[in-house]
Each structure stands twice: as structure tokens, then as C-alpha cells.
Amino acid sequence: MISFQGYRQNCRDCPLKHQCLRRVNQTDGRQVSFALSDRKAAPGLIEKMKQKIDSPMGRYIYSQRLGTVDPVFGNLESNKGLNRFTLRGKTKVNTQWLMYCMVHNIEKIATQG
């Protein structure tokens, strides 16, 4: 439930008060409440992305990602314990991320040779 309050000083000079207030000469503001579930939302970014991934080209691209990118993140999370960054600030977090990437790449090189 969302509530809005229109105050007297805001409503007094508003050109749209005849659409909002029950009586145009009303001296106090108005409270309006409504539930979000009653409104039908326009398709958002998440819906657009779902449609994009469900397309034939999207499925192909996503299947390529599953074989290249996701195993890296799985390795860093489960084997290296990178659930979250322990440092603060962009520079420090970037340094920590690059160190994890370096360890991952060194392990890849060591297992290939």
C-alpha cells in the first residue's frame, strides 16, 4: 500500500487541483492510498531481458556463456571462497578482483602444462 499526502500550500496554486480534490475550494490537502498490485505495470527491463534470452539467438549466446564464463565464477566462489569482496573502494576491490583472476589464470596454466 502506497500513500501520498497533498498539503494545503501545494494544492492551493496547483492547476490540476480540480482533478485531484473532491471540492476545488477545499482548504486542506488530500491523502491518496493505493495498492501496487492493482496497477498493471508496463514491461520492465527484466521482462525485456527474458524475451531477449528466450529468442533463438539469445539461447545460442547464453549457451556459449554457460561453457565459458560461469565455470570461472563457480571456481572463484566455491574453491577460492570469493562470496563477497572484503575491501572497500573501487581501487581496492578492483585490485582484489584482479588478484583472484590472476590466481585462477595461474592455476589454468599450471594444469595445462
Side-chain angles (χ1 to χ4, degrees):
M1 184 70 66
I2 294 182
S3 298
F4 294 97
Q5 171 73 40
Y7 296 100
R8 185 181 316 172
Q9 65 268 16
N10 297 335
C11 294
R12 187 179 309 138
D13 299 324
C14 179
L16 302 175
K17 70 180 177 184
H18 65 279
Q19 295 176 2
C20 186
L21 299 176
R22 291 186 184 97
R23 296 181 317 274
V24 179
N25 296 331
Q26 190 171 332
T27 57
D28 54 343
R30 179 174 180 199
Q31 272 190 336
V32 178
S33 299
F34 62 91
L36 286 177
S37 60
D38 294 344
R39 293 176 33 182
K40 186 172 183 175
L45 296 176
I46 292 174
E47 286 301 318
K48 289 179 183 178
M49 191 55 147
K50 284 180 185 177
Q51 292 172 359
K52 193 173 184 179
I53 289 176
D54 286 341
S55 71
M57 187 63 175
R59 287 178 191 233
Y60 173 75
I61 292 171
Y62 196 72
S63 70
Q64 299 299 311
R65 172 196 156 94
L66 289 174
T68 57
V69 177
D70 286 345
V72 175
F73 289 115
N75 177 35
L76 290 175
E77 184 179 2
S78 62
N79 297 335
K80 308 293 183 291
L82 180 63
N83 294 339
R84 63 180 64 166
F85 294 104
T86 56
L87 303 173
R88 297 178 71 158
K90 287 183 181 181
T91 306
K92 292 179 184 177
V93 167
N94 189 42
T95 303
Q96 187 177 9
W97 171 250
L98 291 174
M99 290 180 77
Y100 273 103
C101 292
M102 185 174 61
V103 168
H104 175 77
N105 289 330
I106 289 171
E107 285 182 347
K108 275 179 71 173
I109 292 169
T111 57
Q112 289 176 357

